[in-house]
Amino acid sequence: TVSLIVYSSGNVPDTLERTAYIEVVDTQPLPFYEPIAVGVQSTLPAGWSTTDENGDHTGWQEGWWNLGVDGSPDDFIFFDNYQVNLNGLEEQLILPLLDFSTTANPKLYFYRAHRLRTASNTDTLKVYVRACGTNRDLLYVKGGQQLATVAGLDPGPFEPSQPSYWVRDSVDLSA
């Protein structure tokens, strides 16, 4: 229970109480690893969430590809930026809270695959970190040609059909 006591000018107290007002959330132990799916799963891993800035109910999803980063079947999380036009809005994929208090140099490792549709393509991937009680810090930005992992332009939908289309990347989270 949380109590707020306010005194009026006549020194008369007024009390407001709320039960279950503060939510304490458990953190994920490290190392944190996104579990491998068995077959196609249509939902994100437990504890993950997304935003829906344009209200279309389409955003980050979990998918399955027969040729993953090492040539064997693998799951992945993707955003279909071919079918969805965000017009400058950002759809966020939010991971569970992680406790870095016992980790000297925390890093996020991930694989990405992207092909440009046009020469002026501005698809962008950003990674933010937010320490408890602070604003988020932008730690990673790749867009356009920097984000592309496959040479050339293709106006159609992109499917990472070759292991060589995937690039391993990392972000230092110690900011």
Side-chain angles (χ1 to χ4, degrees), residues 13 24 31 36 55 105 118 131 164:
V24 178
I36 300 297
N105 298 305
T118 67
S164 62

Side-chain angles (χ1 to χ4, degrees), residues 23-85:
E23 179 182 359
V24 178
V25 180
D26 289 333
T27 58
Q28 293 290 323
L30 297 178
F32 175 73
Y33 178 71
E34 185 271 319
I36 300 297
V38 178
V40 177
Q41 291 187 357
S42 60
T43 59
L44 295 171
W48 295 46
S49 62
T50 62
T51 61
D52 186 16
E53 297 301 318
N54 61 353
D56 66 354
H57 307 293
T58 303
W60 289 93
Q61 318 168 44
E62 186 166 13
W64 182 262
W65 195 251
N66 289 329
L67 288 174
V69 297
D70 64 359
S72 61
D74 202 356
D75 67 331
F76 57 94
I77 294 174
F78 71 99
F79 186 86
D80 182 358
N81 55 348
Y82 178 76
Q83 303 292 337
V84 178
N85 185 351

